[in-house]
Amino acid sequence: MPETNDFKVFVFFNDTFSGHAELKYAANIAKHLNSPLTILIPDSLETAILFAKNSKYCVREILEIAQKRISEKVSSLINACLQISYEVVPDDLNLLNSDKTIFVSNSIISEQNNFSVIAPFNEAGLLERGPGEIMIPFGNGESGIFAATKALPLIKRLGLNVVFWHTTWKNPALIANEPEQHMIEDAKSVLKTIREKADELGIKHRSVIETADDVVEGMLRFALKEHLVLIVMTRGKKTGEGRYGDRLIKRSSPIPIFMAGRGA
Amino acid sequence: MAILSAKERFLPYMVMAAVILMYAVKVIVKISVGNFVNSPVITGDGYHNASDILEAVLVITVIMLAQRPPNWKYPFGRKNVESIFELAVGLSLTYLAFRVLTQSLGGLLAYFPLLNNEIRKFVPLPEHETLLMGQEYFWWVLGTMAGSAILSVIASTIQIKVGKSFRHKSLVADGQETRSDGVIEFTAVAGILGEYSFNMPVIEYILGLGVTILLARTAFGLIVRGWRTLLQRSIGKEHEEKILDIVQKTYGVVDMAELKTFKIGAMPVLIMKVTTRSSAETALDIKSALAGRIHNYMAANEFPEWDYYIRFDKPIPHRYRISFAVISTDAGEVIAPSIKNATHFRVCDIEDEKIVRWKDYAVPPKLNDAFKLLKERRIKELRTFDEEQVTVAELQKNGINYNHTPTHDPALLGISKVTGSS
């Protein structure tokens, strides 16, 4: 029997193209994590009452039929061979108040900061385009450490390797060409910390330091070139405007993004 | 187009200068020794080497032309001039192979006079001439030919190595011709040794047949390579499949609609049409990634220098219309159980399975008028929560498919007035 764990994957049910894509990606992640998949359905009691007034069914029957049909639809979409469990429950985001909660959604990643969200964009699964590493960009602040702390247990469970990526401004006082030479001490300290965290968990990792002209462009181009399968981000506590994670989403990253939530 | 380093720019010329010097030494020595021993063969070979000097000058000219950067007249540069030279060398080696073959066959047939006479009636083989030099000139002749052969092999090895390193096909082709000269010279040395040491000149003719095969193989390779480049043959199915795989696995790429490959000189050129749904800004990121990923593959497959042209296109959208039957009241809206209960048809334009636009039409009181409206709006499929079987059959008679919705809530179907389209 495969080992189970306490990661929980959540996704909204939407009978739309993007909703189906999110559901498939969520099922794929749940399969990789060997975790249960929970499908959330918004509370539709009001619409059920309105519907009942115009049909032969009572409200309870309508809700039961809808739940049954949604279950059938989900089964057909995520394919029975995935062997994952799912349940249809009312929409309640309080369920997500856990460190090991992963919500799969393209829309709420832009607005939600309490729990961790993966935006799959147009991808059908984590390794659908072939194997690859997971990218954790870091700077000189606490964001990189926070993102690594949140994501590394997940990465360990997925059995993938990590690339710690950093870009730095060139120090005009230095003539050295190697980007590592231009890193400031704070960034070096962050790198040391996150490397140690990866080592503690036994995750294979490598570090890449660049001097990209633009952080978001450099990050995305590196990830695309190296065929990285997921980019781990978090929203910096001190940054007011132009958080890299948000800019990456705005730039329509084709690579799925994991936005580490900071808790309620 | 890559910027050439000073080494890349000048080393091929230095090699060719050394080759010209070698031929100059050969010309002087062969003509002098040939006259000294009264050997028309050696003197003639000396004059042949004088023509090799002209060929070496031609190689230098070809390299100079090939190194000129692209411009509006020659957008891909002039590297193909090297393929023209390659083809020409291949043809000249074919002629040389033919000459060595006929001379060797002529020499061998001389040992079978009856057969020789019969064959010569039908095949115009050259007259066989036996070696006429005296024993006293043996070392002069042997030294000249052996020294020349060794020089040819050394020079050709350097030419081929530098030509391959700096991707000058003309230098490689000239090197292969020089090497062929060396092989012929070694064969002549073997013939001289056979004649004077073992009294077996037949060795030269047997080796001559082997040399013919070597020359023909080299000539064939040069002709094929030159021909393929000039006719812009693809770089090969295997490479193209690998490139296709790299492109399709790159994030953001929907598909590669077109891939054309060919070579300019030794440099592969890739022309790609990639489909993506990404924005123009992200397409630039994808382009940069593709260049890097394909370069890794090309560099690992002996193509360190290559050029590419990527055009991005959107996938051709699959467009059709569906309609939901809805009940829209002041209290809210809900998916209708059937057409009979519906107040509106919510007509949705679908593009690549996504609702890109929807518009409401009031449902006519009569069912037939409702069908007529759906047909006029070119509706492919109608969706309600629980349509009656009779109505489903009528819809199908009118060429409209039916599907029930999994839920009564428009929000979960991406058509609520609040959420808009999916």
Side-chain angles (χ1 to χ4, degrees):
Chain A
M1 281 289 285
E3 192 187 343
T4 55
N5 57 71
D6 47 353
F7 283 107
K8 285 177 187 163
V9 182
F10 291 82
V11 66
F12 275 129
F13 175 80
N14 268 304
D15 192 26
T16 62
F17 180 76
S18 57
H20 295 175
E22 288 168 1
L23 180 64
K24 285 176 186 173
Y25 193 92
N28 180 272
I29 282 281
K31 185 189 167 198
H32 280 291
L33 291 169
N34 189 29
S35 300
L37 170 65
T38 306
I39 296 152
L40 303 180
I41 304 170
D43 181 6
S44 54
L45 186 62
E46 267 184 43
T47 46
I49 293 166
L50 180 60
F51 186 90
K53 284 179 186 170
N54 293 280
S55 75
K56 60 185 178 187
Y57 302 112
C58 67
V59 171
R60 187 179 50 81
E61 283 174 325
I62 295 159
L63 292 174
E64 278 175 7
I65 293 170
Q67 189 151 330
K68 186 170 171 281
R69 284 188 185 174
I70 289 170
S71 299
E72 285 167 2
K73 185 88 187 181
V74 167
S75 292
S76 72
L77 284 167
I78 64 177
N79 195 343
C81 71
L82 280 175
Q83 295 292 325
I84 58 167
S85 60
Y86 66 88
E87 52 182 312
V88 180
V89 298
D91 172 15
D92 185 358
L93 293 186
N94 289 327
L95 288 165
L96 310 179
N97 196 11
S98 156
D99 254 13
K100 294 202 168 179
T101 288
I102 300 150
F103 203 103
V104 176
S105 170
N106 285 328
S107 52
I108 67 167
I109 193 166
S110 303
E111 59 206 45
Q112 186 55 251
N113 208 26
N114 291 343
F115 46 84
S116 297
V117 182
I118 293 180
F121 304 120
N122 291 314
E123 294 306 307
L126 184 69
L127 305 176
E128 287 293 299
R129 289 185 190 254
E133 299 157 303
I134 291 180
M135 179 189 209
I136 303 183
F138 67 96
N140 60 339
E142 59 79 46
S143 302
I145 297 171
F146 181 82
T149 308
K150 282 274 186 175
L152 285 172
L154 173 83
I155 294 166
K156 182 177 168 57
R157 171 61 57 190
L158 292 169
L160 298 176
N161 299 344
V162 176
V163 185
F164 296 120
W165 183 88
H166 176 76
T167 185
T168 181
W169 293 87
K170 271 191 175 174
N171 179 352
L174 283 176
I175 50 165
N177 280 329
E178 294 77 25
E180 288 86 346
Q181 308 279 331
H182 295 266
M183 279 176 84
I184 61 168
E185 287 308 313
D186 286 350
K188 285 179 185 170
S189 167
V190 170
L191 178 59
K192 185 172 175 285
T193 307
I194 55 181
R195 271 178 172 166
E196 284 168 0
K197 282 179 181 289
D199 286 336
E200 277 169 25
L201 290 168
I203 298 169
K204 283 186 185 170
H205 58 86
R206 64 185 173 110
S207 314
V208 174
I209 315 299
E210 292 186 342
T211 50
D213 289 336
D214 177 81
V215 175
V216 176
E217 182 185 281
M219 188 189 300
L220 189 51
R221 290 190 176 190
F222 174 79
L224 284 165
K225 181 171 173 269
E226 297 288 313
H227 195 258
L228 307 182
V229 297
L230 191 66
I231 304 174
V232 175
M233 302 294 296
T234 191
R235 292 186 172 91
K237 272 182 178 174
K238 293 178 184 171
T239 314
E241 190 66 38
R243 290 184 177 106
Y244 293 135
D246 291 327
R247 283 175 56 197
L248 195 59
I249 294 163
K250 204 176 163 189
R251 201 182 171 94
S252 312
S253 163
I255 300 175
I257 296 173
F258 175 94
M259 189 68 78
R262 286 188 176 271
Chain B
M1 192 67 71
I3 296 166
L4 299 177
S5 67
K7 191 181 172 187
E8 275 181 299
R9 190 176 289 278
F10 296 114
L11 193 57
Y13 297 125
M14 287 163 68
V15 169
M16 286 317 295
V19 168
I20 289 172
L21 185 67
M22 175 196 76
Y23 279 129
V25 171
K26 279 188 180 188
V27 169
I28 293 165
V29 173
K30 282 182 183 174
I31 292 175
S32 305
V33 173
N35 286 331
F36 178 60
V37 301
N38 287 326
S39 166
V41 175
I42 297 176
T43 310
D45 200 33
Y47 286 116
H48 165 71
N49 286 153
S51 72
D52 286 335
I53 293 177
L54 293 176
E55 192 176 308
V57 172
L58 185 63
V59 172
I60 290 173
T61 313
V62 165
I63 292 173
M64 282 172 76
L65 265 176
Q67 282 187 343
R68 292 182 74 177
N71 58 24
W72 67 271
K73 276 187 186 172
Y74 299 95
F76 289 113
R78 299 169 179 83
K79 277 189 167 288
N80 268 354
V81 72
E82 298 207 57
S83 301
I84 296 170
F85 182 83
E86 193 176 35
L87 196 61
V89 172
L91 292 172
S92 77
L93 279 183
T94 307
Y95 171 69
L96 196 60
F98 181 72
R99 264 189 61 186
V100 174
L101 176 70
T102 54
Q103 282 172 350
S104 300
L105 285 175
L108 283 171
L109 283 172
Y111 291 91
F112 309 98
L114 281 175
L115 184 64
N116 192 15
N117 288 336
E118 285 303 311
I119 289 178
R120 281 178 190 280
K121 284 178 190 170
F122 306 101
V123 185
L125 289 172
E127 285 302 320
H128 173 62
E129 291 171 12
T130 50
L131 219 52
L132 295 173
M133 284 176 285
Q135 187 79 40
E136 65 271 29
Y137 303 122
F138 172 74
W139 289 111
W140 282 103
V141 173
L142 188 72
T144 303
M145 294 309 289
S148 180
I150 291 165
L151 276 178
S152 294
V153 170
I154 293 169
S156 68
T157 306
I158 295 169
Q159 276 182 293
I160 293 169
K161 194 175 175 190
V162 173
K164 281 185 176 171
S165 297
F166 298 108
R167 298 169 296 285
H168 283 297
K169 291 171 106 178
S170 56
L171 197 53
V172 176
D174 195 57
Q176 285 176 326
E177 196 191 5
T178 309
R179 191 167 60 187
S180 302
D181 285 346
V183 172
I184 292 170
E185 286 164 338
F186 271 123
T187 310
V189 169
I192 293 163
L193 285 171
E195 173 82 22
Y196 288 97
S197 305
F198 311 111
N199 199 23
M200 286 178 68
V202 72
I203 292 172
E204 182 180 355
Y205 309 125
I206 294 168
L207 288 174
L209 292 178
V211 169
T212 303
I213 295 167
L214 281 178
L215 286 175
R217 275 180 56 185
T218 308
F220 181 73
L222 288 170
I223 291 169
V224 166
R225 280 205 300 274
W227 177 265
R228 284 175 177 176
T229 305
L230 289 174
L231 267 68
Q232 298 188 317
R233 191 179 192 266
S234 87
I235 61 168
K237 200 176 174 187
E238 188 192 337
H239 289 308
E240 289 196 347
E241 280 175 356
K242 290 273 168 53
I243 291 165
L244 176 70
D245 186 53
I246 290 168
V247 173
Q248 284 180 332
K249 280 185 176 162
T250 301
Y251 281 91
V253 171
V254 174
D255 199 6
M256 182 153 71
E258 194 177 298
L259 171 64
K260 285 179 181 169
T261 65
F262 58 93
K263 280 185 184 176
I264 301 288
M267 182 183 75
V269 178
L270 275 54
I271 296 177
M272 292 174 269
K273 187 171 147 188
V274 174
T275 49
T276 178
R277 292 193 177 93
S278 300
S279 64
E281 188 183 35
T282 312
L284 288 177
D285 298 330
I286 295 169
K287 186 179 179 180
S288 162
L290 286 175
R293 298 190 71 204
I294 296 172
H295 180 75
N296 291 343
Y297 171 77
M298 298 296 270
N301 285 276
E302 297 177 2
F303 300 128
E305 193 191 345
W306 63 289
D307 207 353
Y308 67 96
Y309 299 84
I310 304 178
R311 187 158 62 91
F312 284 96
D313 212 348
K314 296 276 177 197
I316 298 167
H318 176 219
R319 293 191 176 97
Y320 60 94
R321 269 186 182 159
I322 63 167
S323 176
F324 292 88
V326 295
I327 300 168
S328 187
T329 67
D330 292 341
E333 55 179 27
V334 69
I335 297 297
S338 73
I339 296 178
K340 284 176 185 168
N341 312 97
T343 59
H344 292 87
F345 285 131
R346 188 151 289 173
V347 173
C348 304
D349 292 357
I350 311 282
E351 213 173 273
D352 287 331
E353 307 307 321
K354 289 182 185 174
I355 298 170
V356 293
R357 178 181 182 268
W358 60 255
K359 188 177 176 182
D360 282 346
Y361 292 84
V363 178
K366 290 182 181 172
L367 210 50
N368 279 341
D369 290 339
F371 294 147
K372 196 178 165 195
L373 174 65
L374 291 173
K375 277 179 81 175
E376 276 175 4
R377 301 321 305 166
R378 309 282 189 270
I379 303 301
K380 189 179 159 189
E381 184 178 292
L382 177 76
R383 294 180 189 172
T384 66
F385 187 77
D386 199 12
E387 194 59 70
E388 292 169 17
Q389 280 305 311
V390 182
T391 315
V392 172
E394 281 300 312
L395 280 166
Q396 282 167 349
K397 273 185 200 167
N398 282 279
I400 301 163
N401 294 327
Y402 172 77
N403 215 338
H404 67 69
T405 57
T407 168
H408 56 281
D409 189 349
L412 298 186
L413 304 170
I415 56 163
S416 96
K417 280 184 176 164
V418 182
T419 57
S421 66
S422 63

